[in-house]
């Protein structure tokens, strides 16, 4: 976790662009942090593999997280992108398992499985049922010790194509033009951080099979890796199993890490680019202290005070007072060789960026001169502590406890380095934070700016002389192997027993005012989650101003009771609480995540938001301007365009669901919204009668009821409650329709196909889950395996229905390389037609894989209180039985292959599909027309017909 919200640029480009922040989490600690810890034990095998073990018995799962200390920093000019390419290759099987790596894990219900690469390291992680630990360790050890024999030219070409599509996908995003030039502008030529982790197209094309094998021999030995096992495991079990599976793998040559080179900039410089975007994205970046330095926590706190929260100095000045930007943030990110400090803003249309720049400079100089106040610093520390407590509820996945331990080991050679970070955060003072800022933020910086204009293709640098890859040396003689404890010729260990699925007993109560309470107690982590469910979703906007529900619920937290918007945000941060509200298709909700020790004041603030929102006119105008800017941003993103256009095409004008799936509504309607509209929405829908408060976490009904009575007991609904909107049925069309939206200069096209399917309450809704799983619901489903792995035309393809009370949208989608758009469209048509018609029916193996994956992952998927809250909320929203999770599991286990195919044939209607393709029509239109799929209509990004 890092402090700070994200600018649109950061959200579009990801952390890998602006830095390579390890999952070290030093910023996530604060006052009182002595009570926050991750206990661990460790050992090292004779071959150098370091193993960290953390025991957490709350769920019958184990996080298996392995980090290799190799990243793009270890590449050489002319050979960039190798580390990331290799991450992909290592998901393609090994010498003793020649198939997709995900397969065995899907069959045991693994969760949170992925792999990532940054400048400094490559990691692979998954959570598995405790009984499947042998399988997971066999698979990880086989690709560490028995991989090279599985790599051939075909595999290299396949994954090279996948990576290149990933690169195109990133560049195709709004502001994506900045991805490639930014690293070059931040660091001098030849610096290990001066190229992107994904590498250049030229270098990827030039990579040879021998290059790849040499890279593996150098970097992927046990002595350059850390394995973390966290969860339902102990040290003795870990020692026995890790030695059995990893002990016979020979050590690799010692892998020399580059020297730290912060490369502070000597003077300010500017990088100005243009893109087809509606607003200027303004960024200023300094190269600062690397991770693990004494200033790390102080720089984090400096960033938090300056622009890391909704009540920060820059937010207060530029968002609330001057109203010159739609969002602004400041953040520190540390990496092994250098760190970064970034300020980023999305500037309102018509505002001179120089004016914003001057104010940012003014506020920065003021903080450097005076330092933060003690109150600001205390608030930042509480926000950090609460974030860390929530984060380490998870044993694995991005940023969970296994990640913390692995990151500390890789970056600082100390699994417990987070304790030092906790202590540093605790002892930070206004003076130390000020000193860190002055040490690092008075040097040169890079102004990276993207202005509205024409998108120009990202130019690849000419091929450079390929620097020789370092020779593969000899392993240090101190490393030894042990006798193999496994016969790999027998294949992957079979998992035959699995933990039983358990679901908390739900306790129910109704307050005197009609507020229903449902509690799923889960002691352990000192956090209490609440989610109050109301009517009044997007569908309630029908006949009114589209966007009312979403806008009104968003405004609830923009000031309430005695707090204005800034005061409300500051109060949340002081309490370490997360309070929010939103609307969905069929209802609205308001959530609270409270640290147990601050439960009552957090609940009081939550109740104030629900009962006494200000709906202040000035705040409303500020949010309205941001809202309209968000709609403009949606219209330049392929997914955003689809979310706005597809519902009308599928449901027809005037239907309650014929609204943008984002809920943002129409620009004209948002512009016309009045305070009276918000008050009417609040009166009609944000009321206790008929609402349900879902509570999970570290509390009991006896403990929480008096607090609920105190803060909600006298809350009454005003006036008659409106009737629930009826959702009329839609008749499916009898022929496909094709719609095109032009996105000039795009390097990718995005294909969407959809039609309505029965409600989430339909008797065969679970059967549809399985049928969709076969087609496009998992990584190894047909659609993704064809377009990504077989054809190499896409980085990812999938399908699925959204939840809804009425007929719901089912959508299949794929982002594909621009020159393969028509071919990809043809493949998607063929896949859907052949599956629905039964020409290529569901197979026993496909159904079995989905059955095992969807049921066996349930214990792991309910690990956190957030996940549990969502599951209970679905039970309430769709009026399901308390044991629905168990009923669903049993139905998935019982479904037959014939029933899956019958559901696919009766539900998926190729002739009823609406096809939407977003891309550069000058490159794709003629080939799509040649497919003769049906009538073609060109739309603008508002869904209007282009004549």
């Amino acid at each position: 976790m890092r402090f700070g919200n994200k600018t649109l640029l950061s959200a579009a480009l990801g952390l890998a662009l602006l830095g390579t922040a390890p999952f070290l989490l030093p910023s996530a600690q604060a006052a009182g942090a002595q009570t926050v810890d991750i206990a661990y034990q460790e050992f090292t095998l004779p071959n150098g593999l370091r193993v960290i073990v953390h025991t957490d018995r709350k769920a019958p799962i184990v996080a298996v997280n392995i980090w290799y200390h190799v990243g793009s920093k270890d590449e050489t000019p002319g050979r960039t992108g190798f580390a990331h390419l290799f991450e992909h290759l290592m998901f393609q099987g090994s010498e003793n398992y020649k198939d997709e790596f995900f397969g065995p894990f899907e069959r045991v219900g693994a969760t949170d499985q992925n792999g990532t690469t940054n400048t400094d390291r490559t990691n692979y992680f998954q959570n598995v049922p405790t009984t499947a630990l042998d399988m997971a360790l066999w698979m990880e050890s086989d690709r560490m010790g028995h991989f090279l024999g599985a790599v051939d030219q075909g595999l290299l070409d396949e994954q090279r194509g996948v990576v290149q599509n990933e690169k195109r996908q990133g560049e195709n995003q709004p502001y994506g033009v900045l991805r490639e030039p930014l690293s070059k502008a931040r660091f001098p030529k030849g610096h290990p951080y001066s190229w992107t982790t994904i590498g250049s197209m030229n270098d990827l094309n030039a990579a040879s099979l021998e290059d790849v094998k040499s890279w593996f021999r150098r970097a992927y030995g046990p002595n350059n890796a850390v394995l973390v096992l966290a969860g339902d495991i102990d040290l003795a079990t870990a020692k026995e199993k890790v030695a059995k599976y990893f002990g016979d793998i020979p050590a690799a040559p010692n892998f020399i890490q580059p020297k730290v080179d912060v490369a502070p900039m000597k003077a300010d410089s500017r990088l100005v680019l243009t893109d087809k975007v509606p607003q200027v994205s303004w960024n200023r970046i300094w190269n600062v202290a690397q991770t693990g330095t004494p200033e790390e926590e102080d720089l984090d706190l400096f960033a938090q005070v300056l622009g890391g929260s909704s009540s920060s100095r820059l937010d207060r000045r530029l968002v609330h007072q001057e109203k010159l930007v739609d969002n602004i943030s400041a953040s520190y990110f540390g990496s092994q060789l250098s760190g970064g400090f970034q300020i980023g803003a999305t500037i309102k249309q018509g505002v001179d960026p120089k004016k914003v720049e001057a104010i940012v400079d003014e506020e920065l100089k003021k903080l450097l001169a005076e330092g933060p106040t003690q109150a600001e610093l205390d608030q930042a520390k509480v926000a950090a502590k609460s974030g860390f407590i929530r984060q380490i509820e998870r044993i694995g996945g991005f940023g969970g406890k296994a990640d913390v331990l692995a990151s500390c080991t890789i970056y600082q050679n100390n699994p417990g380095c987070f304790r030092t970070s906790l202590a540093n955060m605790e002892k930070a003072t206004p003076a130390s934070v000020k000193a860190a800022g002055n040490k690092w933020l008075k040097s040169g910086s890079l102004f990276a700016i993207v202005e509205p204009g024409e998108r120009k293709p990202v130019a690849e640098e000419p091929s450079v002389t390929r620097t020789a890859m370092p020779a593969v040396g000899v392993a240090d003689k101190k490393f030894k192997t042990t006798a193999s404890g496994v016969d790999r010729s027998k294949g992957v260990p079979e998992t035959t027993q699995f933990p039983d699925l358990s679901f908390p007993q739900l306790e129910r109560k109704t307050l005197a005012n009609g507020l229903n309470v449902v509690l799923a107690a889960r002691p352990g982590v000192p956090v209490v989650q609440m989610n109050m469910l109301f009517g009044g979703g997007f569908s309630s906007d029908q006949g009114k101003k589209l966007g009312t529900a979403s806008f009104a619920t968003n405004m609830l937290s923009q000031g309430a009771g005695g707090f204005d918007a800034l005061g409300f945000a500051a109060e949340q941060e002081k309490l370490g609480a997360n309070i929010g509200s939103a609307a969905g298709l069929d209802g609205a909700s308001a959530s609270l995540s409270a640290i147990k020790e601050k439960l009552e004041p957090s609940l009081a603030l939550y109740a104030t938001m629900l009962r006494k929102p200000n709906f202040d006119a000035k705040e409303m105008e500020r949010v309205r301007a941001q809202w309209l800017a968000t709609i403009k941003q949606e219209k330049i993103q392929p997914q955003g365009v689809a979310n706005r256009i597809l519902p009308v095409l599928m449901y027809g004008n005037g239907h309650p669901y014929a609204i943008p799936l984002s809920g943002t509504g129409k620009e004209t309607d948002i512009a016309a919204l009045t305070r009276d509209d918000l008050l009417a929405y609040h009166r009609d829908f944000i009321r206790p009668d008929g609402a349900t408060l879902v509570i999970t976490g570290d509390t009991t009904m006896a403990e929480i009821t008096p607090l609920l009575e105190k803060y909600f007991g006298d809350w009454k609904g005003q006036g008659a409650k409106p009737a629930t909107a009826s959702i009329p049925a839609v008749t499916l069309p009898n022929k496909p329709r094709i719609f095109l939206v032009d996105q000039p200069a795009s390097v990718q096209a995005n294909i969407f196909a959809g039609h309505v399917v029965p409600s989430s309450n339909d008797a065969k809704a679970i059967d549809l889950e399985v049928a969709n799983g076969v087609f496009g619901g998992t990584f190894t489903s047909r659609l993704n395996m064809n377009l990504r792995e077989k054809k190499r035309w896409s980085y990812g393809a999938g399908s699925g229905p959204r939840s809804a009370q009425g007929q719901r949208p089912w959508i299949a989608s794929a982002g594909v390389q621009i020159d393969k758009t028509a071919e990809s469209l043809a493949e998607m048509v063929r896949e859907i037609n052949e599956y629905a018609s039964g020409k290529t029916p569901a197979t026993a193996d496909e159904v079995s894989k989905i059955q095992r994956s969807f049921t066996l992952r349930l214990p792991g998927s309910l690990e956190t209180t957030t996940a549990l809250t969502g599951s209970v909320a679905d039970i309430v929203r769709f009026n399901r039985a308390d044991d629905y999770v168990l009923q669903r599991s049993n139905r998935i286990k019982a479904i037959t292959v014939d029933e899956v195919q019958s559901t696919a044939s009766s539900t998926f209607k190729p002739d009823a599909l609406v096809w939407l393709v977003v891309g550069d029509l000058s490159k794709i239109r003629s080939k799509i027309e040649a497919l003769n799929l049906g009538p073609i209509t060109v739309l603008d990004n508002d869904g209007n017909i282009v004549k």
Side-chain angles (χ1 to χ4, degrees):
M1 173 193 155
R2 290 280 169 188
F3 282 129
N5 48 33
K6 288 187 176 181
T7 64
L8 285 168
L9 173 69
S10 317
L13 305 187
L15 279 175
L17 167 66
L18 301 178
T20 50
F23 294 120
L24 180 54
L25 321 178
S27 63
Q29 351 300 341
Q34 64 271 13
T35 62
V36 180
D37 194 28
I38 307 170
Y40 67 89
Q41 297 169 287
E42 64 174 307
F43 63 93
T44 302
L45 293 186
N47 62 6
L49 178 63
R50 194 168 180 182
V51 185
I52 317 299
V53 182
H54 166 71
T55 302
D56 181 342
R57 305 285 191 185
K58 72 173 178 291
I61 55 175
V62 179
V64 179
N65 195 327
I66 189 161
W67 286 41
Y68 293 92
H69 200 170
V70 58
S72 59
K73 73 180 187 325
D74 304 299
E75 298 159 355
T76 56
R79 300 175 188 272
T80 64
F82 271 48
H84 179 251
L85 174 61
F86 220 90
E87 174 212 319
H88 281 255
L89 287 169
M90 287 183 72
F91 276 110
Q92 302 308 303
S94 51
E95 292 171 4
N96 300 294
Y97 180 76
K98 300 181 185 297
D99 204 345
E100 289 285 340
F101 190 85
F102 290 102
F105 290 88
E106 288 184 346
R107 288 181 171 83
V108 301
T111 56
D112 286 319
Q113 185 175 25
N114 212 329
T116 68
T117 309
N118 68 17
T119 54
D120 303 322
R121 57 92 189 118
T122 304
N123 65 358
Y124 303 92
F125 50 92
Q126 52 268 313
N127 296 349
V128 297
T130 308
T131 52
L133 180 58
D134 283 271
M135 179 279 295
L137 295 177
W138 189 99
M139 291 290 289
E140 287 289 4
S141 62
D142 209 60
R143 67 174 167 185
M144 177 189 282
H146 308 273
F147 181 73
L148 284 183
V151 183
D152 58 22
Q153 190 64 47
L155 182 62
L156 173 59
D157 291 341
E158 173 191 294
Q159 290 307 306
R160 180 179 9 229
V162 170
V163 169
Q164 289 175 332
N165 277 310
E166 181 180 0
K167 182 178 173 70
R168 293 184 187 102
Q169 180 172 294
E171 292 173 352
N172 201 51
Q173 295 302 309
Y175 307 101
V177 295
L178 196 52
R179 289 180 70 96
E180 194 76 24
L182 188 59
S183 296
K184 294 180 180 136
R186 278 188 61 197
F187 294 98
K189 188 172 183 179
H191 189 285
Y193 288 174
S194 64
W195 49 82
T196 61
T197 298
I198 205 164
S200 80
M201 289 288 194
N202 290 333
D203 290 355
L204 290 169
N205 283 328
S208 70
L209 189 58
E210 184 50 43
D211 287 338
V212 168
K213 291 187 175 183
S214 177
W215 177 265
F216 178 83
R217 294 187 189 103
R218 287 181 57 231
Y220 287 83
N223 50 320
N224 196 41
V226 170
L227 171 64
V228 178
L229 301 175
D232 188 19
I233 191 170
D234 54 49
L235 182 65
T237 303
K239 283 185 173 181
E240 182 268 322
K241 291 186 182 295
V242 174
K244 175 181 178 180
Y245 292 107
F246 289 87
D248 67 330
I249 300 174
N254 287 342
F255 196 78
I256 306 302
Q257 295 294 325
K259 293 181 180 179
V260 170
D261 183 4
V262 173
M265 301 175 213
K266 296 179 181 179
D268 289 341
S269 61
R270 287 184 178 269
L271 173 64
V272 182
L273 302 170
T274 60
D275 198 357
K276 291 189 74 67
V277 292
Q279 296 169 266
V280 172
S281 176
W282 179 93
N283 301 271
R284 188 178 180 186
I285 306 167
W286 291 259
N287 292 344
V288 299
Q290 76 278 13
T291 190
T293 57
E295 297 97 349
E296 186 171 17
E297 288 75 34
D298 286 314
L299 286 170
D300 250 331
L301 290 165
F302 190 100
Q304 174 73 356
V305 172
L306 180 64
S309 76
S310 297
S311 62
S312 68
R313 293 188 178 193
L314 290 178
D315 275 77
R316 180 180 297 273
R317 180 78 182 276
L318 284 163
V319 176
H320 292 269
Q321 294 176 358
E322 305 280 353
K323 297 180 176 62
L324 299 177
V325 304
D326 284 318
N327 58 66
I328 191 162
S329 67
S331 60
Y332 162 80
F333 44 90
S335 300
Q336 182 175 331
L337 309 183
S338 179
F341 189 100
Q342 179 205 3
I343 303 171
T346 306
I347 299 175
K348 288 182 179 293
Q349 286 185 327
V351 172
D352 185 353
K354 291 181 181 178
K355 186 174 183 180
V356 172
E357 191 171 302
I359 293 174
V360 170
D361 191 57
E362 177 188 333
E363 292 293 336
L364 174 62
K365 287 178 178 177
K366 183 178 179 181
L367 186 57
L368 288 171
E370 301 174 0
T373 66
Q374 187 64 53
E376 287 176 318
L377 191 57
D378 290 343
Q379 183 172 314
K381 290 182 180 184
V382 171
K385 174 187 173 182
S386 61
F388 187 59
I389 289 173
R390 292 184 181 94
Q391 185 170 346
I392 63 172
E393 181 184 9
R394 293 180 293 120
I395 59 168
F398 288 107
K401 287 189 279 190
D403 249 10
V404 176
L405 295 170
S407 180
C408 275
T409 309
I410 286 291
Y411 284 97
Q412 297 191 39
N413 197 33
N414 172 18
C417 79
F418 63 91
R419 293 170 180 160
T420 303
S421 294
L422 286 164
N424 289 343
M425 187 72 74
E426 167 72 11
K427 69 184 182 183
T429 65
S432 70
V433 172
K434 173 185 172 183
N438 278 278
K439 178 177 179 178
W440 291 103
L441 302 180
K442 286 191 171 180
S443 61
S445 62
L446 170 67
F447 292 84
I449 300 166
V450 180
E451 300 174 338
E454 289 304 309
R455 165 173 281 226
K456 298 177 182 178
V458 178
E460 280 275 336
E461 287 190 350
S463 297
V464 300
T465 301
R466 304 185 76 206
T467 305
M469 189 174 288
V472 178
V474 179
D476 194 311
K477 292 183 179 179
K478 71 179 181 181
F479 295 118
K480 309 292 183 183
T481 59
T482 56
S484 175
V486 60
D487 180 358
R488 294 188 182 271
S489 67
K490 294 182 178 179
V492 184
E494 186 178 356
T495 307
T496 57
Q497 294 182 321
F498 295 91
D500 291 332
L501 172 62
S502 62
F503 194 76
Q505 184 73 34
L506 301 185
E507 300 178 64
R508 295 177 181 270
K509 187 179 184 66
T510 301
L511 303 187
N513 60 1
L515 177 63
N516 301 304
V517 180
V518 180
L519 170 68
R522 179 177 277 179
V525 177
V527 174
V528 177
Q529 303 263 22
M530 297 186 184
N531 194 19
M532 194 173 295
L533 308 177
F534 305 96
F538 306 158
S539 56
S540 70
D541 289 344
Q542 184 58 37
K544 305 172 186 175
K545 297 164 186 171
L546 294 189
T548 300
S550 193
F551 192 96
T553 52
N554 180 273
M555 281 295 299
L556 292 175
S557 61
Q558 301 301 312
F563 299 103
D564 62 11
L566 283 166
F568 190 88
E571 190 67 16
Q572 279 191 77
E573 290 161 21
K574 291 174 185 176
L575 296 171
N578 288 340
I579 299 176
S581 50
L585 201 56
D586 293 303
S589 62
S591 62
L592 164 68
S593 175
I595 302 301
K596 181 66 179 286
E597 65 183 4
K598 300 287 186 180
L599 176 58
E600 182 167 358
S602 299
L603 180 60
L605 188 64
Y606 177 60
T608 298
M609 179 191 77
L610 289 169
R611 300 182 61 176
K612 301 176 182 179
N614 294 344
F615 293 144
D616 179 78
K618 291 182 180 179
E619 300 292 359
M620 188 175 172
E621 291 309 311
R622 173 182 59 82
V623 173
R624 190 199 312 272
Q626 294 172 324
W627 204 272
L628 293 171
T630 297
I631 293 175
K632 287 184 171 64
Q633 292 289 342
E634 287 180 352
K635 291 180 180 180
I636 62 171
Q637 299 170 8
Q639 185 65 57
V641 171
N643 284 342
R644 298 189 68 80
I645 293 177
L646 276 176
V648 176
L649 300 178
M650 287 192 289
Y651 288 97
N653 278 310
H655 191 280
Y657 288 173
I659 50 180
L661 291 175
S662 62
T664 48
K666 289 185 176 181
E667 288 164 296
T668 53
D669 286 352
I670 295 299
L673 272 177
T674 67
R675 185 172 187 270
D676 286 343
D677 293 325
L678 306 192
L679 290 170
Y681 178 88
H682 183 264
R683 178 198 65 224
D684 290 345
F685 298 110
I686 308 302
R687 50 193 298 155
D689 44 327
T692 298
L693 179 61
V694 174
I695 306 173
T696 61
D698 190 15
T699 190
T700 64
M701 189 65 84
E703 177 185 48
I704 199 67
T705 297
L707 294 177
L708 298 180
E709 291 287 4
K710 180 177 180 179
Y711 294 104
F712 290 116
D714 61 347
W715 183 25
K716 305 291 183 183
Q718 301 298 314
K721 187 177 180 180
T724 302
S726 61
I727 309 298
V730 172
T731 301
L732 292 176
N734 55 18
K735 61 181 179 180
R737 294 168 293 157
I738 298 88
F739 297 89
L740 309 180
V741 175
D742 195 17
Q743 190 180 47
S746 57
V747 295
Q748 253 197 346
N750 289 78
I751 304 172
F752 304 90
H755 65 58
V756 301
V757 297
S759 161
S760 298
N761 287 320
D762 184 73
K764 292 192 175 182
I766 298 172
D767 296 16
L768 177 56
E769 280 188 68
V770 180
N772 179 73
V774 170
F775 178 74
T778 71
F779 183 89
T780 58
S781 293
R782 294 181 179 187
L783 192 59
N784 191 59
M785 294 305 292
N786 183 0
L787 294 182
R788 173 182 164 126
E789 301 298 310
K790 182 180 178 182
K791 301 295 187 184
R792 307 196 300 272
W793 297 340
S794 174
Y795 180 57
S799 67
R802 289 180 64 126
S803 296
Q805 300 285 358
Q807 289 168 298
R808 50 195 176 140
W810 175 85
I811 299 172
S813 63
V816 301
Q817 62 192 68
I818 197 76
D819 61 334
K820 295 296 182 182
T821 303
E823 293 87 341
S824 300
L825 180 56
E827 282 298 302
M828 292 178 72
V829 170
R830 181 187 62 78
E831 289 279 11
I832 296 174
N833 282 338
E834 292 185 359
Y835 184 33
S837 68
K839 182 177 179 181
T840 57
T843 67
D845 183 66
E846 287 176 317
V847 173
S848 174
K849 179 194 67 176
I850 296 299
Q851 287 174 309
R852 291 168 67 92
S853 175
F854 283 16
T855 58
L856 298 177
R857 72 186 181 191
L858 287 171
S861 67
L862 295 172
E863 176 196 6
T864 65
T865 52
T866 299
L868 179 61
T869 302
S871 184
V872 177
D874 280 347
I875 287 173
V876 172
R877 185 72 79 187
F878 294 103
N879 196 29
R880 293 166 174 163
D882 285 1
D883 66 347
Y884 174 78
V885 171
L886 300 176
Q887 292 183 20
R888 174 179 173 273
S889 178
N890 291 336
R891 174 53 192 158
I892 293 172
K893 291 176 183 177
I895 195 170
T896 66
V897 176
D898 287 344
E899 287 173 323
V900 171
Q901 184 57 48
S902 174
T903 299
S905 296
S906 63
T907 305
F908 301 136
K909 302 296 184 183
D911 288 342
L913 284 169
V914 173
W915 292 90
L916 176 66
V917 184
V918 183
D920 188 336
L921 298 192
S922 69
K923 299 176 182 177
I924 64 177
R925 180 172 180 174
S926 61
K927 293 182 70 174
I928 293 175
E929 289 173 338
L931 295 176
N932 293 317
L933 299 177
I936 291 178
T937 304
V938 178
L939 305 175
D940 62 19
N941 57 15
D942 278 313
N944 300 313
I945 296 175
V946 176
K947 301 296 185 181

